[in-house]
Amino acid sequence: MMELSVAQKTEIYERGFVKIPGVVPRIMVNDALKAMNHSIGNGIPLEDIHKVRSQSYCPEIQRLPVITDLLNATPAFSLAESLLGAGKINRSGGAQIALRFPSYAKTARPNLAPHIDGTWSEHNGVPKGRVLNFAMIACVLLSDVPEQYCGNFTVWPGTHHAFAKYLREHGPEALTDGGLPKIEMPEAHHVTGQAGDVVFAHYLLAHTAAVNLSPHVRYAVFFRLTPNDRPKGPETGAERREAILDPWLEWPGLAEIAKKDRPAEVATR
């Protein structure tokens, strides 16, 4: 089993994300790109464009092994287990295929709009009034992203800590209106990298996709991972609110690093 180093674990604890270079072999990257480009070549119905932008491009292939094996059959899976626990996550049954096409803009730097996954927006399929929280994002880069404004996976470092504190004070219901809790936001960080790199990010980390001013399509696949021992039932399931209030509850791989800062009311669970 491959495992993240203490330094890498500390980075995801402190900043909310970490990038691991060269995890996915080039042959698997190319196979996935071929499948995506074949799908795109068949066309996207105009009436579906907002839905696929928010949910997934190429929906007919997002559950095929050519996509799911980017996590399931590479070191990315054991690296994820080193954070969420050995045997605590199932092999993925599907992924979000996230493409960012070039913009006509040349120099404009529009405002970035951060969000937290699993909260309602008009086209993303999350029901109003629900919070479909999970534990961790695993982003597989399938194209090179060498600089800012290339459609980058863009994050606001440390906001997972600030949001957890806010939600302990105001309750998880603060997420159900589809907006972000009102906190002071740090400067955004555009994640750069190469095809085959993997980025792990905490569920509560504010993030978005930057506008793509490059001449190339940005290709990436996102997996959203939830521990398989999460309690099931009408009051838990996809809405395990304890894991919002205690953001490291489902991260045994970070238990030692996180314990000093966990809130007193949950630190002994």
Side-chain angles (χ1 to χ4, degrees):
M1 173 177 170
M2 294 187 66
E3 184 162 340
L4 296 181
S5 68
V6 172
Q8 290 168 329
K9 290 182 177 183
T10 300
E11 184 173 356
I12 196 170
Y13 172 73
E14 292 179 348
R15 304 186 75 198
F17 72 101
V18 65
K19 182 184 74 177
I20 314 300
V23 175
V24 177
R26 172 59 68 171
I27 189 172
M28 297 180 71
V29 169
N30 288 343
D31 285 347
L33 290 174
K34 184 176 181 178
M36 292 177 193
N37 287 332
H38 175 78
S39 172
I40 296 165
N42 290 327
I44 301 171
L46 185 60
E47 63 271 19
D48 292 342
I49 193 64
H50 293 296
K51 179 179 178 180
V52 300
R53 283 174 180 166
S54 295
Q55 297 186 25
S56 180
Y57 284 88
C58 314
E60 77 280 9
I61 68 168
Q62 67 183 126
R63 292 176 175 80
L64 297 183
V66 70
I67 301 300
T68 57
D69 278 356
L70 296 168
L71 174 73
N72 294 340
T74 72
F77 190 84
S78 60
L79 292 172
E81 284 190 310
S82 76
L83 295 167
L84 302 184
K88 291 295 184 69
I89 52 175
N90 295 327
R91 302 288 173 177
S92 177
Q96 177 193 13
I97 296 171
L99 312 180
R100 290 296 175 262
F101 290 89
S103 168
Y104 278 125
K106 295 185 183 300
T107 59
R109 297 292 192 269
N111 291 332
L112 297 169
H115 66 274
I116 294 173
D117 286 351
T119 59
W120 177 85
S121 67
E122 185 176 0
H123 300 289
N124 71 356
V126 176
K128 283 189 175 181
R130 298 282 300 278
V131 180
L132 306 184
N133 64 303
F134 49 96
M136 185 174 74
I137 295 169
C139 167
V140 180
L141 298 182
L142 297 175
S143 58
D144 294 348
V145 189
E147 58 186 0
Q148 293 187 355
Y149 294 101
C150 291
N152 312 58
F153 179 52
T154 301
V155 299
W156 280 259
T159 49
H160 60 310
H161 288 298
F163 285 139
K165 181 176 184 296
Y166 182 98
L167 294 167
R168 284 195 296 271
E169 294 170 353
H170 296 85
E173 296 76 17
L175 291 175
T176 60
D177 63 1
L180 282 181
K182 304 302 181 185
I183 66 167
E184 183 177 350
M185 298 291 286
E187 183 177 352
H189 173 84
H190 295 234
V191 177
T192 58
Q194 297 181 319
D197 294 353
V198 172
V199 182
F200 294 119
H202 194 280
Y203 158 74
L204 279 178
L205 186 71
H207 63 277
T208 194
V211 68
N212 187 356
L213 301 181
S214 82
H216 307 290
V217 180
R218 189 229 56 190
Y219 293 83
V221 168
F222 286 82
F223 298 90
R224 291 167 176 85
L225 306 180
T226 301
N228 53 26
D229 59 356
R230 176 176 280 195
K232 300 295 190 295
E235 302 303 323
T236 55
E239 296 175 285
R240 190 179 187 190
R241 297 196 169 194
E242 312 97 284
I244 298 175
L245 302 177
D246 177 9
W248 307 110
L249 178 64
E250 298 177 314
W251 292 66
L254 294 188
E256 286 300 310
I257 295 171
K259 66 181 181 181
K260 66 181 184 301
D261 290 330
R262 290 179 74 189
E265 67 270 23
V266 298
T268 57
R269 285 180 184 166

